[in-house]
Structures are given as C-alpha cells and as structure tokens.
Amino acid sequence: MSKKFLVGVLSLLLTVSLFSGCGKKDEKTPDENGSNNEGVAGEKVTLNIWGMGEEAKLLSKIEPDFEKANPDIDMVVQAIPWDQAHDKLLMAVASQKGPDVIQLGTTWIPEFAEAEVLKDLTPYIDEYPNLDPKNYFESSVGTTNFDGKYIGVPWYVDTRALFYRTDLLEEVGYPEGPSTWDELKDASTKLAARGDGQYGISFDLKDQVFSIPYGWQNGSEIIKDGKPLFNEPEYVDAVKYLDSFFKEELSPVQDDMDAIQAFKNGSRPMFVSGPWMINIIKDQAADIDGKWAVRTVPAKENNLSSVGGSNLVVFEYTKQEEAALKFINYMTEVETQVKWFDVAKCLPARTEAWNDEALSSDPFFSAFGEQMKNSKIAPFIPEWEAIAMEVRKSLEEISIGGADIQTELDKLNKTVEKMLEK
C-alpha cells in the first residue's frame, strides 16, 4: 500500500474514531453480515457485492438469472450512495474486510489500484473469456490498465455527445447539426441572433471535464510524461475558443434556467452531455418529439470526447475469488450486457452488444456508440480528480471572473506541477 494512500486511510480512521460515539452504529461490514464466509465444500457461498447509486438497486433484476446459472452462489448486493462510497472503500481497505466485488467509477481506479487492493485479472482471462480486453472499446480498456496490471473489467460506459434541436438548426443551415468547430460557432452565432435570451449552445461549467475534450480536439495531450501542458498553445487556444462563446453571448455564463426547459423552449438549442439525458428529455419534453437528435461532437483536429462509466473489480482480500470471477464474467456476457441496457439504460461496454437491434436501431443511443469510437480517458493518474477540480476553478476564473486566459493557465500549470511532484 502506498504511503500517500496509507496517510489518507489513517486520517479517515482517526476521523471515524473521533465521531463514532455521536452517531448511530455504521452499517455492518461484510464479515458482520456473514457474507465473507470462506464456505464449506458442497455448501452455498455468499458473494458480497457493493454497487453504487441506482445501478445497485437495479441489480436485483439480474440476480435471479445469475443465481439460476450459479446455484452454488448467493448474491448479496449492498447499495452504497455515491457520496459515501469513497470513504466506505477506504475503510474496507484499512480493515481488509471489504466486499468480494465492487463497482468502481473509472476515475477512482488509479487511486485504489495504486494501493494494491484490486486483483489483477490477467491470469484469469483464459478461463473467463468475457474478461478479455479485446471485447471492449479501446478507450474503455484504458481505464483498466494500471502499472502493467489488468485491474477490473469494463461493465458499462458513457461518453459525451451533442444534443441539438433539429428544427432550429435546420433554420440556420445545419439540419444535421454542426460537424466542426467553425460550424458550431457559426450556428451558435445565427441562433443567438434570434433575440434577447436566445443562445446558440449551453456549456456546463460545473462539469469538471468540460474543457478537456476541447483540448484533445485541438491537439493537446493535457498531461504528458508527468508534465502538465495547460499553458501550451493547443490547450490555451481551446480555452480561448470556448471563452469566445461566453464573451459573444452565444452561451450563458451563469445560467439558472433548467436545462431541459431551456432545450424544450429552444432558448438553448444545443448542449453536450451523456446518454442519461435521452430518457430525461423523452419524459420531460415529450412535446418536442421528432424535433431533436444526438450526434458526435464537432471536430477540430479530431472529435474526441471523454469516456467514463463503471468497472467491476475484485477485492484483493476476497475469500470468494471463484464466485467473484464467475459474477463479473456473467455480467460481461453479451446477452447480459444487452439485458442490463434494457434494465438500466446503461451503455454496454462489450462492443459486440452494440450489434443488438435494441441499440443499433435507436438513433439516440447509436450516436453514443459512434462517439465511443472516438473517445479518450482523462489522464489515468491518482491525482486526476484533484487536478480536475483545479481546472474547473481556473475556467470559472476566466469565464465568470474575467481573468486573463494565458495568465490564469500559467498559474494552473504551476499548481498542477506541484501536485504531480508530491
């Protein structure tokens, strides 16, 4: 376990010990639940799984089929709220009494992989072929590789694509939506000219990875060989391009209007977001059915977008290794991946699953499948989450505070240099 990770764990343990007398007793550990039993030959074993958010609740719809296929395994899912998950994982690492299988967001993988608490799956690929990296999008596989080890298997993926109002974009000459940076700027300028309160596009400044794909699209590596490149021309020019939308009032800087309402009334006819927005728009803006679409993001040198999602990892200290491997192998079968899309509307990580008609015939979700072919992971380093927060703060200083772009990005670069030196 690395010294940096150990310090974090010890700090958390100290905090918990100081406040444990003030609140109710925390949820039971797997051992207290009797779920980390070593099992007796011929007896059913308990497989303890930690899932996050809504996905954990929906796993109950997969459970009957899995247990029918594996009658010797009793699948027990504990739903962990995303805002509590990180601390619970630290506690599990400290006690070495965690679950057998964990759903991990892709940006958390480096931190826990560095602590050497996630099992390397490389030796098990021949016996469990669904785990083979060749089954998955290249960008998604990038979220599983750390220090030469294959840490976890992609479960579901997401990326960002462009949502746009087809009727309004057709009026300004782009019925298929803008395909380049120049077209995006031109379309936004014409749409904003409709009058006060009318904009071309809405950017989400609160999204901490908002600017990163634009840097990639303009040729920036963001961080290369351990050195940040935020003040290099490629990233600086990308920020200048984004900031021009705010300065020219093509995009609102601080927007209190509900995003769906703004899309529905046409005042913000374009935005970039993930697949979860598809059903939200269908549910909350049914009267614009047939008047909106999704496409890949506009390109400069390329049209790379960010990749996210969740991976399934096996806890290094599990006593149910075989059952854990059977579970993640089952969850990554093509048939299971398609069923999981039907149940949770999470995009399959298996590329073969995208051939299913449920995905290939859906123009909204298939657009995300196309975008996945041009997607990239954020710098895969333990420090990234903290760095992304600094990037977001700098963009706010520029867009909201009016800071000079080059000066602010020089400052950001020095901050990140220090973070990487620690």
Side-chain angles (χ1 to χ4, degrees):
M1 193 179 298
S2 71
K3 288 183 179 178
K4 188 189 301 182
F5 191 88
L6 188 58
V7 168
V9 169
L10 291 174
S11 298
L12 177 70
L13 287 173
L14 177 60
T15 302
V16 170
S17 65
L18 286 171
F19 289 95
S20 58
C22 301
K24 67 180 182 181
K25 188 178 180 181
D26 197 6
E27 295 176 62
K28 292 180 177 180
T29 65
D31 271 351
E32 289 170 321
N33 287 323
S35 58
N36 225 4
N37 60 309
E38 294 187 53
V40 178
E43 291 187 359
K44 209 170 190 178
V45 299
T46 299
L47 180 68
N48 193 279
I49 301 160
W50 280 6
M52 312 303 172
E54 290 301 310
E55 291 95 280
K57 300 172 185 173
L58 292 172
L59 274 172
S60 62
K61 299 193 180 289
I62 299 290
E63 184 176 347
D65 288 343
F66 173 73
E67 292 187 345
K68 183 178 180 181
N70 299 275
D72 58 333
I73 301 174
D74 182 20
M75 173 180 156
V76 176
V77 179
Q78 187 174 355
I80 313 289
W82 276 108
D83 61 353
Q84 299 175 20
H86 190 268
D87 285 352
K88 285 189 73 72
L89 285 167
L90 288 178
M91 292 292 290
V93 170
S95 65
Q96 299 186 4
K97 292 179 179 178
D100 303 301
V101 176
I102 312 167
Q103 171 193 353
L104 268 190
T106 54
T107 57
W108 289 1
I109 297 285
E111 178 184 6
F112 289 95
E114 187 181 47
E116 301 179 342
V117 296
L118 308 180
K119 191 171 288 295
D120 182 4
L121 300 179
T122 306
Y124 309 102
I125 292 174
D126 287 343
E127 186 176 358
Y128 300 96
N130 291 327
L131 308 186
D132 195 326
K134 70 182 181 183
N135 293 323
Y136 304 93
F137 290 102
E138 183 178 351
S139 57
S140 190
V141 171
T143 68
T144 67
N145 291 322
F146 188 86
D147 200 21
K149 297 178 181 177
Y150 182 41
I151 304 296
V153 62
W155 180 21
Y156 67 83
V157 296
D158 69 53
T159 185
R160 306 290 202 275
L162 180 69
F163 290 73
Y164 67 100
R165 285 283 300 270
T166 52
D167 53 342
L168 300 178
L169 268 293
E170 184 172 14
E171 290 176 6
V172 296
Y174 297 98
E176 306 298 324
S179 60
T180 68
W181 277 24
D182 288 343
E183 290 184 0
L184 178 63
K185 190 68 181 290
D186 183 57
S188 297
T189 302
K190 291 173 178 173
L191 288 163
R194 291 174 296 161
D196 290 344
Q198 303 297 310
Y199 298 93
I201 187 169
S202 177
F203 290 124
D204 185 5
L205 280 170
K206 295 179 181 175
D207 183 350
Q208 61 186 24
V209 297
F210 153 62
S211 68
I212 303 303
Y214 294 93
W216 293 332
Q217 291 162 18
N218 203 38
S220 174
E221 290 289 325
I222 307 297
I223 293 175
K224 185 177 182 181
D225 299 329
K227 299 293 182 185
L229 304 172
F230 291 105
N231 62 348
E232 295 293 319
E234 292 83 359
Y235 185 76
V236 172
D237 288 344
V239 173
K240 287 179 179 176
Y241 172 74
L242 293 171
D243 192 52
S244 71
F245 284 80
F246 302 122
K247 284 192 165 58
E248 296 170 29
E249 299 185 355
L250 311 182
S251 178
V253 181
Q254 291 177 297
D255 199 359
D256 295 330
M257 182 170 283
D258 176 76
I260 302 302
Q261 181 62 28
F263 190 60
K264 180 180 173 181
N265 68 25
S267 62
R268 284 85 166 147
M270 292 188 283
F271 66 90
V272 175
S273 190
W276 53 86
M277 292 299 290
I278 293 173
N279 284 342
I280 293 175
I281 295 173
K282 287 181 177 179
D283 292 341
Q284 298 181 21
D287 47 345
I288 59 169
D289 279 355
K291 295 181 180 178
W292 63 280
V294 183
R295 60 156 297 145
T296 53
V297 295
K300 181 70 180 305
E301 292 184 10
N302 58 66
N303 72 333
L304 285 168
S305 187
S306 59
V307 66
S310 280
N311 297 346
L312 292 173
V313 301
V314 177
F315 198 48
E316 181 65 40
Y317 304 110
T318 178
K319 297 173 183 175
Q320 305 298 346
E321 178 182 284
E322 183 179 357
L325 292 167
K326 284 181 177 178
F327 176 73
I328 64 173
N329 189 64
Y330 181 85
M331 292 302 295
T332 49
E333 285 181 0
V334 172
E335 184 179 344
T336 312
Q337 289 264 291
V338 173
K339 181 173 181 177
W340 185 242
F341 169 72
D342 181 53
V343 168
K345 289 295 177 284
C346 292
L347 302 184
R350 285 286 297 262
T351 53
E352 193 178 342
W354 285 85
N355 296 328
D356 189 272
E357 190 176 357
L359 285 145
S360 62
S361 65
D362 187 307
F364 301 111
F365 286 105
S366 62
F368 281 95
E370 193 64 26
Q371 185 66 69
M372 278 299 300
K373 298 173 185 174
N374 290 292
S375 58
K376 184 173 180 177
I377 60 171
F380 205 55
I381 52 178
E383 298 87 353
W384 177 248
E385 290 248 315
I387 291 173
M389 291 296 292
E390 294 298 325
V391 173
R392 175 183 157 184
K393 285 195 291 185
S394 283
L395 288 177
E396 289 177 345
E397 289 294 328
I398 293 168
S399 302
I400 300 173
D404 176 75
I405 294 175
Q406 186 66 60
T407 302
E408 182 61 32
L409 294 181
D410 284 341
K411 179 181 165 186
L412 170 65
N413 215 63
K414 287 182 180 177
T415 299
V416 177
E417 281 178 350
K418 291 178 181 176
M419 295 170 76
L420 293 174
E421 286 171 359
K422 291 180 180 177

